[in-house]
Structures are given as C-alpha cells and as structure tokens.
Amino acid sequence: MIEASTFLRRALLADAIFSGIAALGFTFGAGAFARLFNLPETLLLETGLFLIAYGALVGWLASRASVPRLLVLLVVVGNAAWTVGSIALLLSGAVSPNLAGELMVVAQAIATGVFAELQYVGLRKSGSVVAA
C-alpha cells in the first residue's frame, strides 16, 4: 500500500467519471450508438458492461488515502493497452465504423492514453509505503 497523492486520486476520479458515463451510454444505448457509429452493438454493450466494473474499481481507488501500488499500476497499464487496442481495432479491419465511429474510437483512445499518463505521474508523486 502507498499513500496516494492528491494528483493520483484526482486522475483516478476523472477516469472513473469518464468510464462511468461511457458505461451508462454503451450499456443502455448500445443499439443507438451502434447505428450512429456503425459499430457492432454487441461490442458496445460488452464494453459498457466492462466499464461498469472498471469505473467502480477506479472510483473506489480514487476514494482511498492509501492504495495498492500494484493495482494502480495495473490500471495504468490497462489504460495504455486500451489505447493501443482501440487504434489496433480500427487498423485491423475487424470493424467498419463510419467517420463518426472512427472519431469516437480515436477520441476515447486519446482520453484513455491521457488518463494512463496522468495516473502514472500521480503514482510517481505518491508517498511511501504504508502499513496495510
């Protein structure tokens, strides 16, 4: 466990809010977003369901004064992987989104990459190890 810096907690909170909004939209509006972005409805629904759990975890981490360093590092690596995976999805040809879909995927990939960077900086600013 480490003492979470204010910077880290705010970066985690911003990620939780962004993920929570996306989770609600994709879970309850998968059909509408699928038509809007020309993306598979199942992909959007499953992404939304995943983001419910992810957003809850990250929100929980943001609410703690001390956090498991390894868990925060996993969030950072996961966000970086999500960014790379999103761009790879577009380049793979596995989906054929329209321009709005491409812009949405790129925008959320950039946002997720920014969260990874902010969380990494926050992790480095965090305090020493504390007793569990």
Side-chain angles (χ1 to χ4, degrees):
M1 300 288 280
I2 59 166
E3 184 180 332
S5 67
T6 301
F7 190 93
L8 174 59
R9 292 177 68 194
R10 287 182 180 163
L12 290 167
L13 180 60
D15 189 2
I17 291 168
F18 180 84
S19 297
I21 291 168
L24 292 174
F26 289 153
T27 299
F28 298 108
F33 283 120
R35 289 185 295 281
L36 177 65
F37 298 132
N38 198 40
L39 287 167
E41 184 174 349
T42 303
L43 173 66
L44 296 175
L45 176 61
E46 290 174 357
T47 299
L49 293 172
F50 169 79
L51 288 174
I52 290 171
Y54 174 79
L57 170 68
V58 176
W60 177 80
L61 285 170
S63 73
R64 301 288 172 234
S66 60
V67 294
R69 178 178 171 73
L70 192 57
L71 189 54
V72 174
L73 191 56
L74 182 63
V75 168
V76 171
V77 170
N79 276 336
W82 186 285
T83 298
V84 172
S86 295
I87 301 306
L89 176 67
L90 289 179
L91 297 175
S92 73
V95 296
S96 300
N98 56 24
L99 180 60
E102 289 177 357
L103 291 174
M104 185 276 298
V105 172
V106 169
Q108 64 80 33
I110 291 169
T112 305
V114 168
F115 287 136
E117 178 66 21
L118 292 173
Q119 290 159 353
Y120 179 73
V121 169
L123 191 57
R124 292 184 50 102
K125 289 180 178 233
S126 291
S128 58
V129 175
V130 295

